[in-house]
Amino acid sequence: RNEEYTIEARVADADVARWKTLSVNQRELAMQAMLEDRFKMKSHRETRVMAGFALVVAKNGPKFKESIPGDLYPGGLKGVDGGPWLGIVETAPGVETGQHVPMEELADSLSMMERRPVTDQTGLKGFYDFKFTVETPDPSTTADAAMPDWPSIVTTILEQLGLKLESGVKVPVE
């Protein structure tokens, strides 16, 4: 419980193309399988139902586009392996860019901000590209550089993306 380790792992050359197509959740499952196989680390998972939010499409529809394979943003988002970076990343101060992101991954990110589970109920099944701006206080002009007001940030993000959160939903959480 108190020891820390650095683990370096490499995807076999024959599996690199397949690895690039996996979602974040699929990659996490692969990493868990590797830890169990190599280090005999076993885990137990169970699902519990908690109060949370449903991520849904707002009245005027989504304000982002479906990903086009091989299409990168101007200047490109590159991964460590030279291929496109897939996921949500800060591309400039306060600017978050999503490239080839399933709505489930966006819901997971919102869950971390809200500190309550968010389930994807958008009905959007593809992979999407989007960009949103998060305004946070400038520490040099603010006496107390406190944590940003997450609920208003989430509202801003969702307005920019044409999505919304509905409360009072029971969400299964692993």
Side-chain angles (χ1 to χ4, degrees):
R1 292 179 188 228
N2 298 323
E3 295 181 42
E4 294 183 18
Y5 299 89
T6 299
I7 299 172
E8 293 183 22
R10 180 179 290 217
V11 176
D13 291 341
D15 297 327
V16 169
R18 171 89 172 103
W19 182 261
K20 290 179 182 179
T21 66
L22 298 179
S23 70
V24 171
N25 290 339
Q26 290 170 321
R27 288 180 184 196
E28 286 177 4
L29 289 173
M31 292 295 289
Q32 288 172 2
M34 183 271 301
L35 291 171
E36 185 171 337
D37 178 56
R38 305 268 171 85
F39 299 101
K40 308 304 179 220
M41 294 176 69
K42 296 190 183 215
S43 62
H44 167 74
R45 293 177 171 264
E46 63 183 57
T47 301
R48 295 188 181 184
V49 177
M50 299 176 65
F53 297 98
L55 178 65
V56 299
V57 175
K59 183 172 56 172
N60 293 328
K63 299 177 183 178
F64 47 85
K65 64 178 183 154
E66 194 159 356
S67 295
I68 300 170
D71 185 30
L72 297 176
Y73 289 94
L77 294 175
K78 300 290 185 182
V80 294
D81 61 359
W85 190 91
L86 307 177
I88 304 171
V89 65
E90 185 175 26
T91 53
V95 178
E96 301 286 329
T97 301
Q99 184 167 290
H100 199 72
V101 176
M103 289 295 100
E104 180 181 274
E105 186 174 336
L106 178 60
D108 288 345
S109 293
L110 294 170
S111 292
M112 287 186 276
M113 287 185 210
E114 282 293 322
R115 294 189 175 101
R116 285 182 43 197
V118 176
T119 184
D120 170 33
Q121 293 184 7
T122 62
L124 301 172
K125 300 297 180 199
F127 294 85
Y128 301 90
D129 295 341
F130 53 82
K131 189 177 284 192
F132 57 86
T133 303
V134 178
E135 292 186 30
T136 56
D138 179 356
S140 66
T141 61
T142 308
D144 178 21
M147 288 295 292
D149 182 5
W150 286 118
S152 67
I153 287 176
V154 171
T155 301
T156 300
I157 291 168
L158 296 174
E159 286 172 355
Q160 291 177 47
L161 297 179
L163 302 171
K164 66 179 183 174
L165 290 178
E166 292 181 347
S167 62
V169 177
K170 296 294 183 187
V171 180
V173 177
E174 190 173 314

